[in-house]
């Protein structure tokens, strides 16, 4: 037999586990899934936004380069030597003011096939200047201020430079290919060895001779600075890499600068860095994109040391012909830590409530089962005629009878039944005893002998008849009954 | 010639005093002069049934036994219990035991002249010209009980139908026989299941070889009334009253 003492609590517990536990688990998983989907969406938005922000770093210089090249093409009579005219130079400087202020990460450069070069640059203190150099004249260099304080066109200083623009790869490539080109990353000698890419657009005359090459050096330091200036959640990492594994820009690392070894930062360097997120991210990217080519925007996750990270990876500047990839890595804890903590807290609370529910359920089950078990024990005891009317069992039944519910009614009815059974039992016993007119003869004899053996009894026995006779005679004596009866005043 | 009727039981709680009082009332209601003496000096109680309050009586049986008064002075008429119920005939005289605990204690410690009891009984019968003298005895067996039994014309033993009373009554019956009591009767009180009464009467009579005058059932109405009044006068039509009346008739005729 399976006792309800165990079956009932078991069923109740099972129901609670299924009802509360399953609901809690589903809610937990659902909320967690929702939170992670939200996190993924956020990362996607961040990545997309970043993609758009970075676009300007190439788009604007390229547009300006094209615009200047087109302007030169529309003025075939113009010669580079016109810049020597102060008035022409001043107008050119004025026209370059906006560009120098709004696109500080790019150096617009005009190079003539004779080695003359006009370049927007900055002094060590960041003041925009126009640099004019001539490789033919021993690298003669003159710098003119570009400002809005009325000093535009003022020569700042002069000197010499060994830089020969005609020897630069971008110049040769543009002239050779007769089209606008975007150079690979290189360390620019004219920009103190900073890593740059150069957009170069050649302008030819009607006879096919080079008139001018308009170019813009785009400083990767600016992109790097942009990434480092982003406000992202803790443990986030953003970097741009190319298909060779070279790190173009990174939010967490300064870029290698051109030096003697000219060693560029690489994805392998990240994989071996001390930063665990960078290390795990580089590994995850290489696993997911073995060729380091991201054909379209991707969103994926990886778990490193128990921590979930979201990765947005997308091709960057692909329409400019670059093979760069943007990777934005944001850890779950940094992104939705509060949300996850809330979900987990809710899960723990649910678990706690489940335990409390089980405890309450078990207590309730006990509360419900106890009167039934008591009733069973009482009925069994009555059946075996072993019920102790003063015992604990009946006391339990009396306690149950105080309940103000059906259990109480049941216990009261059972108590009444027990009392009725006991009363009938006692009555039956009395009836039997009443009819069992039994006398212990030996005991009777002993008790009689105890009395009749006394001198008083023996004396009384001898006198009894005589005493009665004497009394009768006294009462029958004449004169004793004569006269009127007493006046009923005895004792009054 | 007056009847001396002892009402006795081997154990207490048989309803002896109540039955004695009721029999006295029933005998008196036939126009007889009836005396009742409470010789249960250790635990007197019959006075309450006759409505006698403590202090209402100047003297008691105890005083007579100590020589302080005559038996007549220790006796009071309680005929009012009949008159109050509209019964014009008969008289009842009660000689109660002292209700004061000091008297009871003294009686138990010092004792008394048992022989004085008999002369007291006789004197009371003579003085009050009683037709019947009912002696409410002390349960069990002691000297005054044996004396009461010895001088009785009728001894009625009250018993309840249980093992102890059956045993004790056997002793009382045998002692009564050895004292040559002329008329010995049994009365069963507080019996259950009236359907068994005929069989019960037959068994008891055959066991003790003594006639059973009646069997009184255990009645709630009697228990409710307790010792506050006379049942047979309060509920004259009750079966118990009918049985008691029959018993009284048989005793009177004995």
């Amino acid at each position: 037999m399976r006792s309800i003492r165990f079956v009932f609590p078991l069923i109740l517990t099972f129901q609670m586990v299924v009802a509360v536990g399953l609901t809690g688990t589903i809610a937990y998983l659902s909320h967690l899934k929702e939170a992670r989907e939200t996190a993924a969406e956020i990362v996607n938005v961040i990545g997309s936004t970043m993609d758009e922000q970075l676009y300007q770093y190439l788009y604007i210089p390229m547009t300006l380069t094209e615009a200047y090249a087109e302007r030169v093409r529309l003025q075939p009579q113009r010669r580079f030597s016109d810049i020597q005219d102060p008035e022409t130079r001043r107008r050119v400087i004025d026209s370059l003011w906006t560009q120098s202020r709004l696109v500080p990460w790019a150096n617009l450069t005009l190079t003539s096939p004779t080695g003359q070069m006009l370049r927007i640059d900055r002094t060590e203190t960041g003041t925009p200047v126009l640099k004019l150099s001539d490789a033919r004249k021993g690298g003669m260099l003159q710098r003119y201020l570009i400002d809005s304080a009325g000093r535009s066109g003022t020569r700042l200083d002069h000197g010499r430079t060994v830089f020969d623009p005609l020897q630069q790869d971008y110049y040769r490539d543009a002239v050779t290919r007769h089209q606008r080109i975007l150079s690979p990353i290189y360390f620019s000698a004219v920009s103190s060895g900073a890593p740059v890419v150069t957009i170069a657009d050649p302008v030819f005359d009607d006879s096919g001779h080079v008139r001018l090459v308009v170019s813009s050096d785009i400083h990767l330091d600016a992109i790097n600075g942009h990434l480092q200036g982003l406000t992202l959640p803790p443990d986030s990492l953003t970097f741009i890499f190319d298909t060779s594994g070279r790190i173009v820009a990174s939010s967490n690392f300064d870029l290698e600068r051109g030096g003697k070894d000219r060693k560029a930062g690489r994805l392998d360097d990240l994989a071996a860095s001390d930063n665990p997120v960078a290390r795990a991210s580089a590994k995850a990217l290489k696993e997911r994109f073995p060729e380091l080519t991201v054909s379209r925007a991707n969103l994926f996750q990886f778990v490193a040391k128990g921590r979930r990270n979201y990765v947005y990876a997308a091709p960057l500047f692909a329409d400019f012909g670059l093979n760069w990839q943007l990777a934005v890595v944001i850890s779950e804890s940094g992104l939705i830590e509060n949300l996850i903590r809330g979900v987990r807290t809710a899960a723990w609370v649910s678990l706690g409530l489940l335990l409390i529910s089980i405890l309450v359920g078990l207590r309730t089950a006990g509360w419900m089962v106890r009167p039934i078990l008591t009733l069973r024990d009482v009925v069994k005891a009555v059946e075996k005629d072993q019920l102790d009317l003063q015992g604990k069992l009946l006391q339990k039944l009396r306690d149950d009878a105080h309940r103000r519910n059906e259990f109480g009614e049941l216990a009261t009815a059972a108590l009444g039944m027990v009392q009725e059974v006991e009363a009938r039992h006692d009555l039956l016993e009395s009836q039997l005893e009443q009819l069992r007119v039994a006398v212990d003869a030996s005991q009777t004899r002993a008790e009689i002998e105890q009395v009749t053996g006394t001198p008083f009894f023996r004396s009384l026995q001898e006198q009894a008849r005589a005493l009665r006779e004497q009394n009768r005679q006294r009462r029958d004596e004449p004169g004793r009954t004569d006269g009127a009866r007493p006046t009923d005043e005895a004792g009054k | 010639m007056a009847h001396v009727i002892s009402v006795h039981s081997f154990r207490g709680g048989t309803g002896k005093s109540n039955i004695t009082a009721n029999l006295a009332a029933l005998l008196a209601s036939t126009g007889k002069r009836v005396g009742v003496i409470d010789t249960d000096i250790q635990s007197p109680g019959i006075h309450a049934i006759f409505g006698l309050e403590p202090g209402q009586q100047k003297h008691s049986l105890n005083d007579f036994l100590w020589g302080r008064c005559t038996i007549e002075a220790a006796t009071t008429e309680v005929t009012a219990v009949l008159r109050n119920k509209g019964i014009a005939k008969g008289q009842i005289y009660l000689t109660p035991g002292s209700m004061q605990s000091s008297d009871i204690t003294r009686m138990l410690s010092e004792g008394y002249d048992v022989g004085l009891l008999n002369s007291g009984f006789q004197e009371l019968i003579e003085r009050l010209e009683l037709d019947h003298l009912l002696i409410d005895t002390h349960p069990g067996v002691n000297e005054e009980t044996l004396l009461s039994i010895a001088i009785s014309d009728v001894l009625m033993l009250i018993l309840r139908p249980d093992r102890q009373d059956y045993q004790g009554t056997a002793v009382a019956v045998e002692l009564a026989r050895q004292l040559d009591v002329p008329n010995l009767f049994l009365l069963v009180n507080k019996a259950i299941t009236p359907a068994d009464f005929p069989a019960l009467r037959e068994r008891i009579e055959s066991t003790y070889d003594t006639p059973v005058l009646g069997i009184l059932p255990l009645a709630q109405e009697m228990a409710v009334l307790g010792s506050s009044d006379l049942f047979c006068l309060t509920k004259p039509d009750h079966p118990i009253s009918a049985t008691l009346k029959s018993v009284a008739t048989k005793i009177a005729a004995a």
Side-chain angles (χ1 to χ4, degrees), chain A residues 332-397:
Chain A
E332 183 177 81
S333 60
L335 189 66
I336 51 169
E337 188 177 6
N338 290 340
L339 202 55
I340 294 287
R341 192 184 295 143
V343 171
R344 287 190 176 140
T345 302
W348 282 112
V349 169
S350 296
L351 189 63
L353 288 174
L354 175 63
L355 292 174
I356 291 170
S357 301
I358 289 173
L359 288 176
V360 171
L362 290 175
R363 185 130 181 104
T364 306
W367 181 79
M368 292 172 77
V369 165
R370 199 192 70 177
I372 299 171
L373 295 177
T374 302
L375 198 58
R376 178 203 61 181
D377 294 341
V378 167
V379 171
K380 276 187 173 179
V382 170
E383 182 191 17
K384 294 176 182 173
D385 196 18
Q386 293 175 343
L387 185 65
D388 179 5
L389 291 176
Q390 306 303 324
K392 288 181 180 174
L393 188 57
L394 211 57
Q395 187 54 47
K396 279 186 186 175
L397 193 63

Side-chain angles (χ1 to χ4, degrees), chain A residues 94-315:
Chain A
D94 285 345
S95 71
L96 294 174
W97 185 87
T98 303
Q99 193 265 345
S100 68
R101 293 286 174 181
L102 297 183
V103 195
W105 62 87
N107 300 90
L108 182 69
T109 306
L110 276 67
T111 305
S112 73
T114 56
Q116 292 171 301
M117 187 179 77
L118 177 153
R119 179 182 173 86
I120 298 174
D121 210 338
R122 286 174 184 273
T123 63
E124 291 73 14
T125 58
T127 306
V129 293
L130 177 71
K131 282 169 69 174
L132 290 174
S133 65
D134 191 342
R136 290 179 312 172
K137 294 181 179 176
M140 185 188 69
L141 173 68
Q142 297 176 87
R143 297 201 299 178
Y144 298 89
L145 282 172
I146 304 174
D147 68 1
S148 58
R151 293 192 301 157
S152 271
T154 306
R155 196 172 79 175
L156 182 66
D157 54 18
H158 66 90
R160 292 190 179 278
T161 179
V162 294
F163 180 75
D164 184 358
L166 302 181
Q167 301 303 315
Q168 301 305 310
D169 289 341
Y170 70 85
Y171 179 87
R172 290 175 179 172
D173 199 20
V175 171
T176 306
R177 292 171 62 181
H178 274 244
Q179 63 177 34
R180 190 189 71 209
I181 59 99
L182 186 62
S183 77
I185 298 169
Y186 68 98
F187 298 103
S188 172
V190 75
S191 298
S192 306
V196 297
V197 290
T198 302
I199 300 165
D201 196 351
V203 179
F204 295 93
D205 59 18
D206 293 339
S207 58
H209 295 108
V210 178
R211 280 182 63 203
L212 209 63
V213 172
V214 182
S215 65
S216 281
D217 293 341
I218 299 167
H219 289 252
L220 301 186
D221 280 339
I223 299 175
N224 206 59
H226 175 82
L227 296 183
Q228 291 186 359
L230 292 171
T231 303
L232 291 173
D235 296 331
S236 297
L237 175 66
T238 306
F239 55 94
I240 300 167
F241 60 98
D242 64 14
T243 49
S244 71
R246 179 182 192 145
I247 300 297
V248 176
S250 164
S251 61
N252 295 49
F253 303 95
D254 288 333
L255 293 178
E256 296 282 344
R257 300 192 73 79
K260 287 180 181 174
D261 51 0
R262 298 206 165 189
K263 184 180 175 184
R266 303 193 61 78
L267 209 54
D268 290 339
D269 298 332
L270 280 185
S273 76
D274 294 335
N275 186 323
V277 178
R279 203 163 55 237
S281 301
K283 188 180 170 191
L285 281 166
K286 287 173 83 172
E287 282 176 3
R288 193 169 183 90
F289 308 107
E291 302 299 324
L292 298 182
T293 302
V294 182
S295 57
R296 57 182 176 79
N298 269 270
L299 191 69
F300 67 93
Q301 306 171 17
F302 69 88
V303 178
K305 293 194 173 178
R307 304 182 73 175
R308 185 177 297 273
N309 295 276
Y310 297 87
V311 181
Y312 172 85

Side-chain angles (χ1 to χ4, degrees), chain B residues 14-49:
Chain B
T14 54
K16 178 167 48 64
S17 297
N18 223 317
I19 289 170
T20 304
N22 276 280
L23 288 176
L26 288 166
L27 289 169
S29 66
T30 60
K32 302 293 183 184
R33 298 171 65 84
V34 179
V36 179
I37 296 186
D38 190 356
T39 62
D40 190 358
I41 292 168
Q42 295 175 18
S43 52
I46 201 167
H47 59 275
I49 305 170

Side-chain angles (χ1 to χ4, degrees), chain A residues 430-431 433-435 440 444 447-448 452 461 465 468 471-472 475 480 485-486 488 490-492, chain B residues 1-2 33 75 77 93 118 122 126-129 150 163 166-167 174 178 180 192-193 200 203:
Chain A
S430 302
Q431 286 173 330
E433 186 170 306
Q434 177 174 285
L435 291 173
D440 184 339
T444 307
E447 288 180 25
I448 289 169
T452 56
Q461 198 174 24
R465 193 181 297 273
R468 263 194 303 275
N471 288 342
R472 194 171 293 118
R475 278 176 263 159
R480 292 242 175 212
R485 287 197 168 199
D488 297 340
K492 287 183 183 175
Chain B
M1 185 189 74
R33 298 171 65 84
T75 303
E77 186 179 357
Y93 301 92
N118 183 40
Q122 298 311 316
E126 289 166 14
R127 295 278 185 188
L128 300 179
E129 294 188 354
R163 192 166 48 82
Y166 285 149
Q167 183 66 36
E174 183 54 32
Q178 291 198 23
D180 294 327
I192 51 175
T193 326
L200 181 63
R203 289 188 184 196

Side-chain angles (χ1 to χ4, degrees), chain B residues 102-238:
Chain B
S102 57
D103 288 348
I104 295 170
T105 308
R106 183 184 164 193
M107 188 60 80
L108 289 172
S109 61
E110 295 180 5
Y112 60 92
D113 181 3
V114 176
L116 200 58
L117 261 182
N118 183 40
S119 54
F121 295 161
Q122 298 311 316
E123 193 177 339
L124 194 65
I125 291 170
E126 289 166 14
R127 295 278 185 188
L128 300 179
E129 294 188 354
L130 299 176
D131 296 306
H132 304 288
L133 177 64
L134 278 80
I135 304 172
D136 184 16
T137 65
H138 179 68
V141 177
N142 58 20
E143 289 186 359
E144 65 266 26
T145 300
L146 289 172
L147 177 67
S148 299
I149 292 171
I151 62 168
S152 293
D153 300 301
V154 175
L155 172 61
M156 189 165 70
L157 292 171
I158 314 288
L159 69 152
R160 285 168 304 189
D162 64 35
R163 192 166 48 82
Q164 282 185 305
D165 270 21
Y166 285 149
Q167 183 66 36
T169 302
V171 175
V173 166
E174 183 54 32
L175 289 175
R177 289 216 172 99
Q178 291 198 23
L179 290 171
D180 294 327
V181 175
N183 299 289
L184 176 60
F185 301 114
L186 297 177
L187 178 64
V188 182
N189 192 18
K190 300 182 180 178
I192 51 175
T193 326
D196 293 336
F197 285 3
L200 181 63
R201 177 191 292 265
E202 190 184 331
R203 289 188 184 196
I204 292 174
E205 285 183 341
S206 78
T207 302
Y208 299 107
D209 192 20
T210 304
V212 174
L213 292 186
I215 299 178
L216 301 174
L218 179 65
Q220 192 180 2
E221 300 98 313
M222 197 138 184
V224 169
L225 194 62
S227 299
S228 62
D229 207 344
L230 288 159
F231 186 82
C232 63
L233 301 182
T234 309
K235 295 183 183 294
D237 299 326
H238 195 278

